[in-house]
């Protein structure tokens, strides 16, 4: 379980719900290569 407070598609209640760690996001942050914007998903 990973705590995360990014506004990320995978973030839920402060926790990263990303299960599949595969292809890295097109919009990574410095902390996470899998970051995906929750508000406006790209790609
Ligand atoms: S994928 Fe990365 S940025 Fe998104 S909730 Fe998980 S840890 Fe945070």
């Amino acid at each position: 379980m990973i705590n995360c407070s990014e506004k990320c598609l995978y973030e839920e209640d402060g926790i990263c719900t990303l299960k599949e760690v595969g292809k890295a996001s097109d919009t990574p942050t410095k902390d996470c290569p899998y970051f995906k914007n929750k508000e406006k998903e790209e790609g």
Side-chain angles (χ1 to χ4, degrees):
M1 195 110 77
I2 301 169
N3 291 310
C4 182
S5 54
E6 299 281 355
K7 278 190 169 51
C8 176
L9 186 67
Y10 304 114
E11 182 273 324
E12 206 172 277
D13 292 334
I15 292 173
C16 177
T17 62
L18 181 64
K19 303 249 166 45
E20 258 179 67
V21 178
K23 179 181 169 296
S25 167
D26 294 331
T27 57
T29 67
K30 64 171 161 61
D31 291 324
C32 180
Y34 303 106
F35 173 81
K36 242 180 190 289
N37 195 307
K38 192 186 282 182
E39 312 289 319
K40 67 168 174 70
E41 189 181 353
E42 298 178 58

